Amino acid sequence: MIKKWYLFYFAGLLLFASGCKAPGKKEEKKRPNILIIMSDNQFFEHVGCYGDSTVRTPNMDRVAADGVRFTNAFCNSPSCTPSRAGFLTGQDNWRLGEGADLWGTLPVKDTVYPDLLEASGYQVGFQGKGWGPGSFEANGRKRNPGGNPYESFAQFMQQKKAGSPWSYWLCSHEPHRPYVPGSGTQAGIDSNKVKVPAYLPDVPSVRGDISDYYAAVERFDQQVGATLAELKKSGELDNTVVVVCSDNGWQMPRGLANLYDFGTHVPLIISWPGKFKQKAVSDGLVTLNDLAPTILQLAGVTIPAAMTGKSLLPVLDEKPATKAVDRDFVVLGRERHAFVRQHGLGYPGRAIRTKDFLLIHNIYPDRWPAGDPPFYGDIDPYMLNWPGETKYYIMEHKTNPAIKPFFNMGMGKRPEIELFDIKKDPYELNNLANDPKYATIKADLMKKMTGYLVETKDPRAIGGDVSIWDKAPYFSDVDKKPRPSKEMQLRFKLDSAYDYLK
């Protein structure tokens, strides 16, 4: 009896020393929360930590100091709906059928990461645009692919079930147009200090427009700060991965809806203090499509084979268990942005971006890249109804020899192939596609891009049905029969109404 008593005594000590766990039983690792804070239409350079000395973004800068800042991050498509679809599905936009169009649908066959997280025990929510604009109801989805809608992050935190991991996607409206004219000055931004890119005219009205955009960027940064304060108040900051990014580039000529960097190059900052690298900078080529597999891996959820994105955990981890993301180029694409051409035609294109070069294939160069005249509606301000002095100034002075080049760059027709040396020509002004010195580089980039498009089953590369993108439903009827404002009718001598359906 004494020997048996000793055996039980020492067994108890062993259990106590090991945390009272039975031998062989692994402790369940607490899964992290995921907080995505996304701006709407912001070029990557326009953040303090990315080198802009005029715009004030202390909260984004703080997230960068606590984590990893990516300097070569791109959206897969320079348009809200397909960019967000790629982010949610982890897939290239040309694999998503009608999901490659603005104001379309997202096929139910394409799984989104919030659904997979929810199935694994996460609570998922979003606010603002989420996936869109478009109609998720039109093809049978029961909710926005972004998850369950909430009015605010504070509401989500109050209503979620305690103890469960969560994922929340805060979709800001900032810095989307319309900007209030003069809001930059009111915010204390000196228009003389803003940096006017070489593809826009350096005149006071353009500087004022950029200042108003900067004020909107600063409002987004304030949202970032308020959200992080709410997170800290909840006590869940230490177990939350924070991602700050934008869906696509800014709303300027050659920006939004263009495959130039100004439409695709976005800020991307990821932090998890104590778990990820801090004050780190990665110049690796990544896309927003990489976020879905990253989030799923963090949550311990199997990454679907259909995802073409790659997990970024090897880049973020202090002690990566696998190789870093191995990629020397990214391939981007666009189909129909707004309904701005007769019969609803889009302006399809594909692009390959390396650290040194950008090659763009404009598939139908006979079409107007910025939309049919006289609206050039792929460049907002919403069919000449919103303030947008940069666009208006260029249109108004297009016959002026000093301004005509800007009009041609932003609104004129383009050659089928464009090639830019990013290092020598960061504003992508000099097309080298026909320069014999770059013939080998052009051929190599075309071969790599075509190979990737074939591998990922792009209908435009493998001979599939491409008519869907021009014929797909567009769920904003007001765009199909635009009516310019009375002010713009007078300014540009326009008719009161137009019809793109005829």
Side-chain angles (χ1 to χ4, degrees):
M1 289 290 296
I2 295 175
K3 288 182 179 180
K4 287 184 179 180
W5 184 87
Y6 272 113
L7 287 172
F8 283 119
Y9 174 77
F10 284 114
L13 285 177
L14 286 170
L15 283 171
F16 179 80
S18 62
C20 299
K21 294 180 294 188
K25 186 176 180 181
K26 293 182 179 179
E27 182 180 3
E28 186 176 351
K29 188 177 181 181
K30 189 176 182 181
R31 297 192 289 173
N33 309 311
I34 309 294
L35 175 60
I36 311 285
I37 310 176
M38 180 180 283
S39 64
D40 197 329
N41 302 346
Q42 181 183 4
F43 182 47
F44 92 107
E45 283 187 346
H46 303 137
V47 187
C49 61
Y50 280 94
D52 195 303
S53 59
T54 302
V55 70
R56 297 158 296 190
T57 56
N59 298 297
M60 295 179 73
D61 298 346
R62 179 158 53 94
V63 178
D66 288 339
V68 180
R69 174 170 59 89
F70 291 83
T71 59
N72 277 312
F74 296 84
C75 61
N76 184 237
S77 183
S79 176
C80 294
T81 311
S83 172
R84 291 162 186 258
F87 157 66
L88 289 164
T89 64
Q91 294 198 57
D92 294 309
N93 68 88
W94 50 83
R95 294 167 59 86
L96 304 177
E98 297 174 8
D101 281 353
L102 185 76
W103 277 106
T105 59
L106 183 59
V108 292
K109 69 177 180 60
D110 295 310
T111 305
V112 294
Y113 83 80
D115 288 352
L116 296 174
L117 288 183
E118 189 173 56
S120 77
Y122 272 70
Q123 295 177 74
V124 297
F126 80 98
Q127 74 184 67
K129 186 182 289 184
W131 169 86
S135 174
F136 61 85
E137 304 95 339
N139 62 345
R141 286 187 182 269
K142 295 181 179 179
R143 69 179 184 188
N144 188 294
N148 299 311
Y150 289 84
E151 292 297 319
S152 68
F153 180 56
Q155 182 193 54
F156 173 76
M157 295 300 282
Q158 290 167 2
Q159 295 183 3
K160 72 176 183 62
K161 184 167 47 176
S164 296
W166 52 265
S167 175
Y168 191 79
W169 181 19
L170 191 160
C171 301
S172 174
H173 178 268
E174 307 293 358
H176 197 292
R177 287 189 186 272
Y179 316 137
V180 177
S183 56
T185 299
Q186 291 177 1
I189 296 169
D190 185 350
S191 63
N192 293 314
K193 293 183 178 179
V194 303
K195 186 177 181 181
V196 180
Y199 54 89
L200 299 178
D202 190 350
V203 296
S205 58
V206 172
R207 285 184 168 273
D209 199 24
I210 296 175
S211 297
D212 296 341
Y213 158 79
Y214 273 25
V217 172
E218 291 186 357
R219 289 194 296 273
F220 170 68
D221 186 74
Q222 291 160 13
Q223 290 179 321
V224 173
T227 305
L228 294 179
E230 186 70 31
L231 177 61
K232 185 176 182 179
K233 186 175 77 172
S234 74
E236 299 193 48
L237 175 64
D238 291 343
N239 195 46
T240 301
V241 176
V242 176
V243 179
V244 180
C245 62
S246 186
D247 60 348
N248 42 242
W250 65 337
Q251 287 175 284
M252 290 285 183
R254 291 173 79 88
L256 173 70
N258 286 274
L259 289 168
Y260 303 119
D261 275 15
F262 327 109
T264 62
H265 203 164
V266 295
L268 175 61
I269 307 166
I270 304 177
S271 78
W272 189 10
K275 304 293 195 305
F276 290 163
K277 297 172 185 174
Q278 292 182 265
K279 297 181 180 178
V281 178
S282 171
D283 68 349
L285 290 154
V286 302
T287 76
L288 296 184
N289 295 5
D290 296 326
L291 291 174
T294 304
I295 291 167
L296 293 176
Q297 187 175 359
L298 280 165
V301 177
T302 301
I303 299 171
M307 289 191 174
T308 51
K310 297 182 179 182
S311 173
L312 300 176
L313 279 192
V315 182
L316 299 166
D317 244 332
E318 282 288 2
K319 297 178 180 178
T322 58
K323 283 186 177 181
V325 176
D326 185 16
R327 183 187 281 150
D328 57 11
F329 65 86
V330 291
V331 178
L332 318 172
R334 64 158 290 184
E335 288 297 332
R336 184 174 65 196
H337 184 61
F339 204 102
V340 295
R341 296 172 193 84
Q342 213 66 36
H343 311 300
L345 299 180
Y347 190 78
R350 300 291 184 265
I352 180 170
R353 176 66 152 81
T354 69
K355 290 181 181 178
D356 297 320
F357 293 96
L358 169 68
L359 182 143
I360 299 173
H361 178 201
N362 299 308
I363 295 170
Y364 298 126
D366 57 313
R367 298 181 186 178
W368 292 94
D372 287 350
F375 287 99
Y376 307 105
D378 263 351
I379 308 169
D380 276 348
Y382 209 67
M383 306 298 188
L384 308 187
N385 276 280
W386 290 345
E389 196 55 36
T390 300
K391 174 179 176 177
Y392 297 158
Y393 181 90
I394 293 173
M395 288 174 60
E396 197 167 38
H397 297 85
K398 63 182 180 181
T399 60
N400 182 327
I403 304 303
K404 187 176 181 179
F406 298 105
F407 177 84
N408 291 337
M409 282 190 288
M411 300 161 204
K413 291 185 177 181
R414 297 167 185 165
E416 182 177 0
I417 303 296
E418 298 178 89
L419 174 63
F420 302 99
D421 186 328
I422 302 298
K423 300 295 184 184
K424 296 179 181 179
D425 179 24
Y427 291 115
E428 298 165 10
L429 304 176
N430 303 309
N431 182 13
L432 304 169
N434 295 322
D435 188 330
K437 296 178 183 177
Y438 289 84
T440 300
I441 292 171
K442 174 183 170 183
D444 180 60
L445 291 173
M446 286 291 293
K447 180 179 179 181
K448 287 179 177 177
M449 181 171 69
T450 301
Y452 182 83
L453 294 173
V454 170
E455 178 187 350
T456 54
K457 297 180 172 56
D458 179 0
R460 292 196 181 278
I462 62 175
D465 180 14
V466 299
S467 66
I468 181 175
W469 289 312
D470 282 344
K471 295 179 179 179
Y474 183 91
F475 293 95
S476 179
D477 289 338
V478 67
D479 294 2
K480 300 172 185 177
K481 297 184 178 183
R483 297 175 178 270
S485 70
K486 289 184 177 180
E487 178 189 353
M488 294 301 112
Q489 290 175 39
L490 292 172
R491 187 169 177 177
F492 294 107
K493 298 179 175 59
L494 300 172
D495 294 335
S496 60
Y498 293 78
D499 190 345
Y500 283 134
L501 293 172
K502 289 183 179 179

